[in-house]
Amino acid sequence: MRGTTADKRYVPAIVLTVALFFLWGMANNLNDILIAQFKKAFTLTDFQTSFVQQAFYMGYFLLAVPAALVTRAKGYKTAIVTGLVLYAAGALLFYPAAHYGEYLYFLAALFVIACGLAFLETSANPLMTELGDPTTAAKRLNWAQAANPVGTVAGVLIGKYFILSAIVHDESAVAAMSPAAREAFYRSEVVAVQTPYLVIGLVVLLFAVAAAVIRFPEHRAEETVGAPSRFVDVFRHPRLIFATVTQFFYVGAQVGMWSYTIRYAQANVPGMAEHDAADYLFASLVLFGIGRFAGTALMGKIAPPRLLAIFAVVSAVLAAVAGLVGGQVGLYALVLASLFMSIQFPTIFALGMDGLGPLRRAGASLIIMAIIGGAVLTGLMGHMSDLAGIDTAMLVPAVCFLVVLAFAVKAGRTLSGEALQPTIH
């Protein structure tokens, strides 16, 4: 596909693919709102609220490789339509889950959403490099990446204004209610998620219909040749393996910090409602988006491994301040850490993928599997919070960023002089 003719032919596919970055950003950060909402609606411990992320990221882990295989065997259109249908189905399952008021049903719905997102994430990044003139591939990919932080902010705003209530959860006041009033209170908190997810499900379903009729690049059968052996071959690349391990810890840190930002704000500023605490999560995501643009600009002057090391050190220090100092200072440190988390996922991804050649798709699916860190380490943070408090739990991401630092130092020593183009999560 060369020149403007190819660009014009695939403009609808480009627009839709850019929208995918927005859609999965929104879904990921709505989980942070759900954690706060379900804690109140189902009276959960912090560890139990982590089941939201555990169910979600298990979907990524289990479907990343199948999604890559479907993309390779059937092409981008099939993978994207499959992902959107699964995403829509999971969102629509929130309606019966809210009707029956069972936490387990919500977790099942989140798992289905994540299965769909695994298909979308595994296919969208490489697709953007193939839609149009190869000489403008980097520009198209950066454009698509800009939609992701916009989606994360949209997710928090939807959650704040359409899901979270301004009611401060006072356990003693709830306990003093009559059984009927208490049941009505919990019921109102559960059904608050019903309508927003119903609308999201219907919108995503429309995207699936659009993807089914839009023209995508034709699938080439030769891409499937040797696919099983290619995936095995990725294990011969030490930097890719280190990148995968590092991504496990980075995603765990990111997801854990955002998952418990509202909880942390309420614990450190007594009397704050979830509705108001969500502003700190919103600020975190705005800083995250700013950091992505600023970090990308800095990469023109600072080598990616060195910049990654600097950002990892600052993130570790800020997470440690949140864990050891607490209070308003700790809360500000927690929010500010997002500015320096911004480039870490894409830079780890790019450094790990460097030099893979035809193994890039298989390597990408391996790194996507590392997103399971968001489930495991968020669960660990929830358990630590129940045992020692939410402040102490923030020491987990501080340690995770040290793993990122170790990878950055190692990559900086072994990396060839070849330029890298980050791929944004």
Side-chain angles (χ1 to χ4, degrees):
M1 295 174 291
R2 296 181 180 276
T4 56
T5 302
D7 289 344
K8 291 179 180 178
R9 192 192 335 174
Y10 294 108
V11 164
I14 292 173
V15 172
L16 185 135
T17 305
V18 169
L20 300 183
F21 286 78
F22 175 92
L23 290 174
W24 78 58
M26 179 180 65
N28 275 276
N29 286 93
L30 266 170
N31 288 353
D32 304 326
I33 298 295
L34 292 179
I35 285 175
Q37 186 71 3
F38 289 160
K39 181 176 178 63
K40 179 166 57 174
F42 295 108
T43 60
L44 304 173
T45 66
D46 286 334
F47 177 67
Q48 288 171 329
T49 63
S50 74
F51 294 170
V52 167
Q53 302 292 24
Q54 292 184 46
F56 192 80
Y57 288 99
M58 185 60 70
Y60 269 107
F61 178 75
L62 295 178
L63 270 292
V65 172
L69 295 176
V70 169
T71 303
R72 191 177 298 121
K74 300 295 183 180
Y76 288 119
K77 172 178 277 196
T78 299
I80 288 173
V81 171
T82 301
L84 288 169
V85 169
L86 286 171
Y87 183 169
L92 293 174
L93 284 173
F94 266 63
Y95 199 88
H99 175 76
Y100 290 106
E102 293 289 339
Y103 185 42
L104 182 61
Y105 295 169
F106 285 111
L107 298 181
L110 286 167
F111 176 82
V112 175
I113 290 175
C115 289
L117 298 186
F119 276 86
L120 299 183
E121 292 216 36
T122 304
S123 57
N125 280 308
L127 174 58
M128 282 305 297
T129 66
E130 297 183 24
L131 285 170
D133 188 341
T135 62
T136 59
K139 182 178 179 180
R140 289 194 306 277
L141 189 54
N142 277 318
W143 177 35
Q145 291 163 358
N148 185 257
V150 176
T152 64
V153 170
V156 173
L157 291 178
I158 290 170
K160 176 180 178 178
Y161 292 108
F162 297 101
I163 295 178
L164 294 178
S165 67
I167 301 173
V168 178
H169 182 41
D170 187 332
E171 293 183 2
S172 60
V174 174
M177 294 178 181
S178 66
R182 190 182 310 117
E183 178 65 26
F185 169 73
Y186 288 135
R187 179 65 184 164
S188 67
E189 296 299 322
V190 171
V191 299
V193 304
Q194 198 171 42
T195 300
Y197 271 87
L198 176 62
V199 173
I200 290 171
L202 293 175
V203 170
V204 173
L205 201 57
L206 290 177
F207 273 97
V209 173
V213 299
I214 284 176
R215 183 172 187 173
F216 283 84
E218 293 183 7
H219 176 58
R220 294 171 292 181
E222 63 267 22
E223 290 179 356
T224 65
V225 176
S229 62
R230 283 182 177 177
F231 187 78
V232 174
D233 288 343
V234 299
F235 292 97
R236 299 176 183 175
H237 293 261
R239 192 193 303 150
L240 173 65
I241 301 305
F242 196 180
T244 301
V245 172
T246 303
Q247 206 68 283
F248 174 92
F249 284 99
Y250 168 71
V251 174
Q254 175 191 297
V255 173
M257 291 174 77
W258 287 350
S259 294
Y260 293 117
T261 292
I262 293 175
R263 173 80 175 88
Y264 186 94
Q266 289 187 285
N268 283 275
V269 183
M272 180 178 290
E274 292 98 333
H275 185 271
D276 297 322
D279 289 335
Y280 289 93
L281 179 59
F282 174 78
S284 297
L285 297 176
V286 170
L287 288 175
F288 186 78
I290 293 171
R292 280 195 164 167
F293 289 105
T296 300
L298 285 172
M299 282 185 186
K301 301 178 180 180
I302 304 174
R306 179 174 296 181
L307 189 63
L308 177 63
I310 294 170
F311 275 38
V313 168
V314 178
S315 298
V317 170
L318 291 171
V321 170
L324 298 174
V325 177
Q328 198 74 49
V329 171
L331 181 56
Y332 289 149
L334 179 61
V335 171
L336 184 58
S338 290
L339 180 68
F340 298 93
M341 292 194 295
S342 55
I343 67 155
Q344 294 188 43
F345 184 100
T347 308
I348 295 166
F349 194 106
L351 292 170
M353 297 284 285
D354 182 50
L356 290 183
L359 296 173
R360 288 182 66 84
R361 291 187 187 181
S365 66
L366 189 67
I367 294 180
I368 292 298
M369 289 177 69
I371 289 176
I372 191 67
V376 176
L377 296 179
T378 302
L380 175 60
M381 289 179 66
H383 183 60
M384 287 187 64
S385 178
D386 291 334
L387 293 177
I390 190 63
D391 290 14
T392 303
M394 291 301 163
L395 296 178
V396 173
V399 174
C400 293
F401 292 125
L402 295 180
V403 177
V404 178
L405 173 62
F407 171 75
V409 172
K410 179 69 174 177
R413 290 174 179 171
T414 60
L415 185 64
S416 66
E418 184 179 346
L420 296 173
Q421 170 59 46
T423 301
I424 299 292
H425 169 65

